[in-house]
Amino acid sequence: MPVSLCGNWDMVSNVNFEGYMIALGISLYTRKIALKLKHRKVIEQVGDQYVVKTLSTFRNYTFSFRVNEEFEEFTKGLDLRHCKSLVTWEGNKLVCIQEGEKKNRGWSHWIEDDKLHLELHCEDQVCKQVFKRVI
Ligand code: VL7
């Protein structure tokens, strides 16, 4: 059983978020605002259903899924795209493939040194975020 990702997590680092946002076609104006944000990640699990919230002072993004079950994702408040998404465990990593207009889009979450790690990728860009546990 992989270690639980559940909890409240605050961003401590965010490498190449700019490149990731450019790959998603986010406007310069929005990127300038988004780059300054400290995200909070709230991960909850109810039964086999996960809820992942990404919260900030600018925008919030919440979605839920069941592992190994494809779902329709709409990136409301972000790049406004529809994806067919699938989340699976690969060893100790929770891995999501977001199939849609953008090639090579997805993310993975794992815990390392008591920190929550997130790698976001789109086309040739990789963004690396690290979060520390709060409370
Ligand atoms: C979510 C945003 C850039 C628009 C605002 C930035 C607001 C706070 O997708 C993410 O995490 C996964 C895994 O936890 C859950 O989907 C990261 C931020 C990516 C892409 C779009 C910029 C405008 C950020 C919501």
Side-chain angles (χ1 to χ4, degrees):
M1 199 45 182
V3 53
S4 174
L5 306 176
C6 293
N8 297 336
W9 305 89
D10 276 356
M11 177 178 272
V12 291
S13 62
N14 191 5
V15 175
N16 196 35
F17 191 44
E18 173 81 344
Y20 176 73
M21 288 193 290
I22 291 172
L24 285 174
I26 306 301
S27 73
L28 176 65
Y29 176 77
T30 301
R31 293 201 313 266
K32 291 291 167 215
I33 299 168
L35 264 187
K36 295 189 203 297
L37 303 171
K38 292 279 181 233
H39 308 184
R40 171 170 287 191
K41 200 71 79 175
V42 177
I43 302 180
E44 294 160 351
Q45 195 182 351
V46 184
D48 57 353
Q49 177 117 16
Y50 277 88
V51 181
V52 177
K53 299 174 189 168
T54 308
L55 308 174
S56 76
T57 52
F58 178 48
R59 287 182 196 164
N60 299 322
Y61 180 63
T62 297
F63 72 110
S64 64
F65 59 88
R66 286 187 170 84
V67 176
N68 298 326
E69 253 181 49
E70 194 176 68
F71 62 100
E72 302 284 334
E73 181 174 8
F74 176 57
T75 57
K76 189 181 175 193
L78 303 178
D79 60 313
L80 307 174
R81 284 192 177 87
H82 292 271
C83 306
K84 281 200 190 307
S85 301
L86 176 67
V87 182
T88 57
W89 283 106
E90 288 182 18
N92 63 342
K93 288 190 181 181
L94 193 64
V95 176
C96 180
I97 293 169
Q98 295 168 304
E99 222 176 272
E101 184 189 338
K102 288 289 168 183
K103 297 297 161 216
N104 190 38
R105 181 174 186 173
W107 52 259
S108 55
H109 265 300
W110 70 96
I111 289 180
E112 200 178 303
D113 302 327
D114 295 327
K115 301 262 193 333
L116 178 72
H117 291 247
L118 170 62
E119 201 176 86
L120 296 153
H121 53 89
C122 181
E123 295 177 335
D124 62 344
Q125 295 298 310
V126 179
C127 168
K128 182 69 204 296
Q129 303 183 342
V130 180
F131 301 79
K132 70 171 189 322
R133 207 184 265 284
V134 283
I135 342 171

